[in-house]
């Protein structure tokens, strides 16, 4: 019988289409977790999280006697002082009225900026 076979086929095809749609949305959820929700902002560690980001993106210009803008970012007390200077967060968030940092190359990621802000809100612990 031709008709039921066609119907069965159509049902299988729609089932497969639905399956692939839901698989696709699972994939998107995971991607969101990786780049958004999975950004750890509680108990941020200065030594494990903050200093490595600054070493990789800032310290080449902001260390030693000739540090750019006199801002040094090589250790906890220097970073703490730079934050107290009041120009740090605006600079890394590329806000108007601040020099965007790093001056060339990519901006820090949303997660890195959130972690720095969370660490500051947690009282800049030397942890
Ligand atoms: C290629 C060299 C270079 C790198 C890398 C760099 N900076 Fe700078 N930074 C400068 C220079 C030069 C100035 C001073 C001139 C200016 O304000 O543009 C400056 C200024 C600043 C200021 C003062 C900004 C203001 O608006 O007063 C802050 C805060 C700062 N940098 C933080 C950072 C941080 C944090 C990073 C890493 C995310 C970083 N910088 C990476 C060269 C650099």
């Amino acid at each position: 019988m031709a008709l039921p076979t066609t119907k069965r086929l159509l049902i299988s095809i729609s089932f497969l289409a639905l399956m692939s749609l839901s698989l696709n949305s699972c994939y998107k959820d995971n991607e969101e977790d990786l780049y958004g929700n999975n950004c750890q902002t509680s108990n941020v560690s200065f030594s494990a999280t903050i200093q490595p980001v600054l070493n990789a993106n800032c310290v080449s210009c902001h260390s030693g006697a000739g540090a750019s803008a006199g801002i040094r970012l090589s250790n906890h007390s220097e970073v703490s002082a730079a934050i107290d200077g009041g120009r740090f967060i605006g600079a890394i968030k590329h806000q108007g009225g601040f020099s965007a940092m790093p001056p060339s190359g990519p901006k820090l990621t949303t997660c890195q900026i959130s972690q720095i802000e969370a660490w500051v809100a947690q009282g800049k612990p030397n942890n």
Side-chain angles (χ1 to χ4, degrees), residues 55-102:
N55 287 346
N57 297 282
C58 318
V59 163
S60 59
C61 299
H62 289 286
S63 61
S68 295
I71 294 173
R72 277 172 278 278
L73 301 171
S74 301
N75 57 50
H76 178 266
S77 60
E78 290 177 353
V79 174
S80 181
I83 302 237
D84 291 344
R87 307 292 299 172
F88 189 102
I89 299 293
I92 62 168
K93 292 177 92 171
H94 295 190
Q95 287 173 347
F98 295 87
S99 302
M101 292 291 139

